[in-house]
Amino acid sequence: ISSEKTDFQKLFKDISLEEIPVYLNFEFLPESTFDELVSFLKGKAHQIRLHIDIVGNLARSGNWYFDLKKDHAILDKIVSNSSDFKSVLSVDSGLYQNSGATIPQELAYALAHANEYLNHFSEDKDLEIDFIVASGTNYFFEIAKIRALRILYASLASEYDINEKCHVLAQPTKRDKTLYDFNVNLLRTTTQAMSAVLGGADAVYNMPY
């Protein structure tokens, strides 16, 4: 979602929100947009998960959306009013993978990233975090990565006495994709998506052919 003026009535037209899981990733910190979305969904059954990641934005851009204090205040407000959503917090570990991290580095950075949220929301025992994972080129190791992520996150969450389950959304890495041969990309994304499936990702999404 790139615009704060998104019309959710048009966006979700002809989509059965009760049956189809929807993931919304915002390119901004959606304070007023979140209120509009809550108003639109009032009384509707849905499976919407929001991906709000202020730490990820800091890692990606080097800046907060506003500043540390205001970003956390807005996030607190969103989380406190998010009971109708499957989850609202996400950790984009694909950011690290696509930046060149090895598998151990990606897992370590992702857990440190998640720890910032667990520390901040330590009183919310039902907190659930979505991990956005990028599947790389090492077929079997990428299967193991997602399985290891669940074990490691459960170990971390248990220290806060917080819900040990996490939700994993996977996509193929961008690191090995070529601009010149989309058929090669098709083959690469096939094996990478399969790694995610066999690794136990809850959902897999891919870039257009």
Side-chain angles (χ1 to χ4, degrees), residues 92-107:
D92 187 0
S93 73
L95 169 66
Y96 306 115
Q97 201 278 346
N98 285 315
S99 298
T102 64
I103 288 175
Q105 287 172 334
E106 180 187 355
L107 289 173

Side-chain angles (χ1 to χ4, degrees), residues 37-61:
L37 179 60
V38 170
S39 178
F40 168 76
L41 294 171
K42 191 172 183 179
K44 297 182 176 73
H46 65 85
Q47 299 186 56
I48 293 179
R49 308 182 80 96
L50 306 184
H51 286 168
I52 301 173
D53 187 7
I54 61 174
V55 177
N57 181 69
L58 178 65
R60 183 181 299 104
S61 68

Side-chain angles (χ1 to χ4, degrees), residues 8 33-43 81-82 84-85:
F8 293 109
T33 307
F34 175 78
D35 293 336
E36 291 173 13
L37 179 60
V38 170
S39 178
F40 168 76
L41 294 171
K42 191 172 183 179
N81 291 290
S82 64
D84 288 342
F85 294 90

Side-chain angles (χ1 to χ4, degrees), residues 94-148:
L95 169 66
Y96 306 115
Q97 201 278 346
N98 285 315
S99 298
T102 64
I103 288 175
Q105 287 172 334
E106 180 187 355
L107 289 173
Y109 298 151
L111 289 167
H113 190 149
N115 187 62
E116 292 297 312
Y117 291 127
L118 295 180
N119 190 44
H120 187 74
F121 295 104
S122 58
E123 300 301 315
D124 187 351
K125 303 306 179 186
D126 295 323
L127 184 73
E128 184 172 336
I129 292 178
D130 282 17
F131 283 88
I132 305 171
V133 174
S135 294
T137 57
N138 194 327
Y139 186 75
F140 293 106
F141 280 44
E142 292 295 334
I143 294 171
K145 179 177 78 178
I146 295 176
R147 297 184 182 190

